[in-house]
Amino acid sequence: MKNRVREIYKCSKCNLAVEIASACACTEPCMRCCGEVLQSVTPNTVDADKEKHVPHAVRTADGINVQIGSAEHPMFEAHHIVWIEIVHGDWSLRKYLHPGEKPAVEFKLCCCKTEKVKVRTFCNIHGLWECEI
């Protein structure tokens, strides 16, 4: 079985985000919110203003340090980073954040010191963002 990152779908009206852990066998779109079909979210990799959403990840002696944006992303109730995660092969580590917290985390790892790792983050307004280190 091919390793893959779980899919995320979002409601275009209310911004509800849903993560799918396993595939559906339906032939027609079946997930709905606000009366409309949820849309698949494609990760963004380039921020138009180049400062608020793309994860900035750096390998450290103990793991991977991640900050969101070169200018710190706002962390208000109405606009914030929901989570930051790293994905390597068939496993992932995720840190959920709350309004008021700093949009950063250090994942302590004893593995994958040189292998490629995908770093993903989810903004409650602007969706999914990722980079690879």
Side-chain angles (χ1 to χ4, degrees), residues 15-29:
N15 282 331
L16 169 79
V18 177
E19 184 174 34
I20 305 302
S22 64
C24 174
C26 296
T27 56
E28 307 237 346

Side-chain angles (χ1 to χ4, degrees), residues 8-10 39-45 120 122 126-130:
I8 297 176
Y9 289 81
K10 191 171 180 182
Q39 300 300 308
S40 177
V41 176
T42 302
N44 296 297
T45 57
R120 299 180 353 137
F122 191 80
H126 300 106
L128 186 62
W129 298 82
E130 74 178 27

Side-chain angles (χ1 to χ4, degrees), residues 9-17 31-41 124-125:
Y9 289 81
K10 191 171 180 182
C11 176
S12 61
K13 289 186 175 181
C14 73
N15 282 331
L16 169 79
M31 293 184 300
R32 296 180 180 274
C33 183
C34 298
E36 303 208 2
V37 174
L38 294 177
Q39 300 300 308
S40 177
V41 176
N124 70 321
I125 301 293

Side-chain angles (χ1 to χ4, degrees), residues 5 43-46 53-59 63-69 81 83-89 91-95 103-107 109 112 115-122 127-133:
V5 176
N44 296 297
T45 57
V46 178
H53 292 100
V54 177
H56 294 275
V58 177
R59 291 182 192 276
I64 297 173
N65 186 20
V66 182
Q67 294 187 120
I68 306 308
I81 297 298
W83 49 258
I84 300 170
E85 82 175 344
I86 57 172
V87 180
H88 179 266
W91 63 261
S92 65
L93 293 173
R94 181 179 288 179
K95 166 72 172 151
V105 65
E106 183 168 1
F107 292 102
L109 302 170
C112 63
E115 296 101 356
K116 289 193 181 227
V117 175
K118 194 174 287 190
V119 180
R120 299 180 353 137
T121 186
F122 191 80
L128 186 62
W129 298 82
E130 74 178 27
C131 71
E132 190 172 83
I133 62 166

Side-chain angles (χ1 to χ4, degrees), residues 65-78:
N65 186 20
V66 182
Q67 294 187 120
I68 306 308
S70 56
E72 193 171 285
H73 190 282
M75 291 297 287
F76 305 119
E77 185 68 38

